[in-house]
Amino acid sequence: MAAFGIMVACSIVYAFIPIMAKASRPCPPFLLVGLASAFEAVLSGLIAWGGGDWQMLSVTSNDTLLAILAGACVSVAGAYLVIRGYDYMPIWRHQLFILIKPLIAGFAAWIWFGEMVGWTAAPAFALMAAGLLIAFNGWGKGSWHGAHILVGASAFYALLPVCLKIAVDVVPPFVIVSLLSAGISVLSLLLSVIFERNRWFSAWKGRFLWQLPMLGITNALAVWLSLKGLELLPVWQHQMILLTKPVIAALIARVVFTEPLTRRYVPAFLLMATGASVLIIFH
């Protein structure tokens, strides 16, 4: 029961991340990601240092570090697109796209590592496609406005575990999180200097001084809970419990932002969650 309690807490904490990110507008996207990731890198690094994990880097190959850097690049792209997606649709639709990540990750692993996707991909794709059609009101005019942004975001985030596959077996988890967050922070801040520097002062709000650190700390806590859950549960159970995150996020957004929930949400989520479950359980 303790393991399931940890994973329920993990889903709740993860569900707050899109809420906090949306509440941090109008902070420019790259600046938001860069500052929040800096706090996450420091916190994760201190945890890794307390556990003596940094010594493992002395036997780490360049390929492993390059894999983490690649993970940082796809994370920056994914985070930027996720934040842009808040401008186009409510969180309940926004979070449904997170459910297509296992499908994209499966195909990416097939291309790069030769891992077989298997027959489960076909019904999973059909169920997820049906769920998205319901969520976005079929092919109605304007109903898919901004959907391409979140498809791109899901694709980039789905590549993250593929990039980190080399690192997970040789580098302690919190060292990976710290290095990954540091890379995300540096890349995001560099892009912010290039593309957003004219908006820094006009968009800055005093509340960002506590919102951005809290966002980084919340993400680090979610990662820690997720790692603890992986120690106690099989991967398929771990991933199945995390499927509750979009529901929790939608309910929180309903309270915080008074975003309406339509009748299409329940069948759309059930179809997409079932499709994701097929991949998780049978892949």
Side-chain angles (χ1 to χ4, degrees):
M1 290 300 293
F4 287 99
I6 288 173
M7 286 310 302
V8 169
C10 181
S11 290
I12 294 172
V13 174
Y14 264 129
F16 273 97
I17 293 174
I19 308 298
M20 297 172 72
K22 185 169 183 176
S24 297
R25 295 183 305 173
C27 185
F30 286 127
L31 184 62
L32 186 156
V33 174
L35 294 178
S37 297
F39 288 103
E40 184 178 355
V42 171
L43 181 59
S44 301
L46 290 174
I47 295 173
W49 176 75
D53 293 338
W54 285 105
Q55 298 175 1
M56 295 290 293
L57 279 183
S58 60
V59 295
T60 300
S61 67
N62 289 334
D63 289 343
T64 301
L65 296 177
L66 287 174
I68 295 175
L69 178 60
C73 292
V74 299
S75 294
V76 170
Y80 173 79
L81 292 173
V82 162
I83 294 170
R84 285 289 311 279
Y86 295 134
D87 296 330
Y88 293 96
M89 62 190 69
I91 282 180
W92 73 267
R93 278 183 174 174
H94 186 282
Q95 288 296 291
L96 284 179
F97 277 94
I98 303 302
L99 297 179
I100 70 174
K101 286 196 300 181
L103 190 63
I104 299 173
F107 281 107
W110 171 58
I111 293 171
W112 270 290
F113 302 113
E115 295 183 0
M116 294 302 296
V117 177
W119 65 269
T120 54
F125 178 81
L127 288 166
M128 290 181 179
L132 284 176
L133 282 173
I134 292 174
F136 285 84
N137 196 23
W139 298 107
K141 183 178 179 181
S143 61
W144 290 83
H145 186 54
H148 64 288
I149 291 177
L150 287 177
V151 170
S154 296
F156 277 114
Y157 271 129
L159 292 175
L160 180 59
V162 178
C163 294
L164 297 182
K165 186 178 177 69
I166 299 174
V168 292
D169 293 330
V170 294
V171 181
F174 273 110
V175 174
I176 293 178
V177 175
S178 183
L179 291 175
L180 181 67
S181 300
I184 293 171
S185 179
V186 171
L187 288 171
S188 297
L189 292 176
L190 178 60
L191 290 169
S192 185
V193 169
I194 296 172
F195 297 109
E196 300 174 342
R197 62 182 183 276
N198 294 331
R199 298 169 51 199
W200 284 355
F201 295 105
S202 61
W204 185 260
K205 306 292 182 183
R207 54 187 168 86
F208 295 161
L209 292 174
W210 63 268
Q211 283 182 330
L212 298 184
M214 284 301 300
L215 180 58
I217 292 169
T218 301
N219 199 61
L221 175 60
V223 171
W224 180 79
L225 289 169
S226 181
L227 294 172
K228 292 297 292 183
L230 279 174
E231 293 176 4
L232 301 172
L233 290 173
V235 172
W236 72 271
Q237 290 184 352
H238 178 276
Q239 292 297 299
M240 287 290 290
I241 296 173
L242 284 180
L243 289 180
T244 62
K245 183 201 120 177
V247 179
I248 299 170
L251 294 175
I252 296 173
R254 179 72 180 87
V255 175
V256 175
F257 301 118
T258 63
E259 291 183 351
L261 279 175
T262 70
R263 289 177 294 179
R264 295 192 300 273
Y265 177 71
V266 173
F269 171 77
L270 290 177
L271 282 169
M272 295 195 69
T274 302
S277 301
V278 168
L279 280 178
I280 292 168
I281 297 174
F282 297 106
H283 179 56

